Amino acid sequence: MSEEFNEKFETIEQTLKYIADSQAKFEWIMKKSQKDWEKRQEEYEKRLAQTQKHLDYITKLTGIAFEDLMFQDEKLEEAGKTLTRKNPKRT
């Protein structure tokens, strides 16, 4: 948006109109930029929330799988004790 100001105006009114038009153009560009930024920020926050939900779900599944593995030996020992009681060893 860098444009050189090389124009010479015949009247102060023309100069003021040019300045006012330039400022209006600048404000329009800034508002559009702000709206675009807000839209991108909103989309980013939605994606971040969705990603966090996925991570929470994966963490939950991993936790359940880890718990299963962690207690697997204990469960097998308990099952073995129960089976041993029901079926004593034959010698």
Side-chain angles (χ1 to χ4, degrees):
M1 185 173 155
S2 67
E3 61 181 63
E4 281 190 35
F5 180 76
N6 291 326
E7 294 186 45
K8 300 218 180 207
F9 297 99
E10 293 179 17
T11 64
I12 293 177
E13 288 81 15
Q14 288 177 335
T15 305
L16 292 175
K17 182 178 180 338
Y18 177 83
I19 292 170
D21 289 348
S22 295
Q23 185 168 351
K25 181 179 177 183
F26 175 76
E27 288 175 3
W28 180 83
I29 290 169
M30 291 304 294
K31 284 181 184 177
K32 184 173 182 337
S33 244
Q34 179 71 19
K35 286 180 184 177
D36 290 346
W37 182 85
E38 288 171 357
K39 184 179 177 183
R40 283 192 304 270
Q41 183 69 20
E42 188 177 304
E43 289 171 359
Y44 167 76
E45 288 173 2
K46 284 179 185 177
R47 274 190 244 121
L48 183 63
Q50 186 177 27
T51 301
Q52 186 61 51
K53 283 182 185 178
H54 289 156
L55 287 173
D56 291 345
Y57 181 69
I58 290 169
T59 301
K60 181 180 177 183
L61 289 177
T62 306
I64 291 170
F66 180 73
E67 281 181 18
D68 285 349
L69 290 174
M70 197 167 94
F71 296 111
Q72 188 174 18
D73 286 341
E74 194 176 298
K75 289 177 184 176
L76 287 172
E77 285 177 19
E78 288 298 317
K81 287 177 187 175
T82 304
L83 290 172
T84 301
R85 279 184 248 145
K86 288 184 180 178
N87 296 315
K89 287 184 183 177
R90 292 184 194 170
T91 52

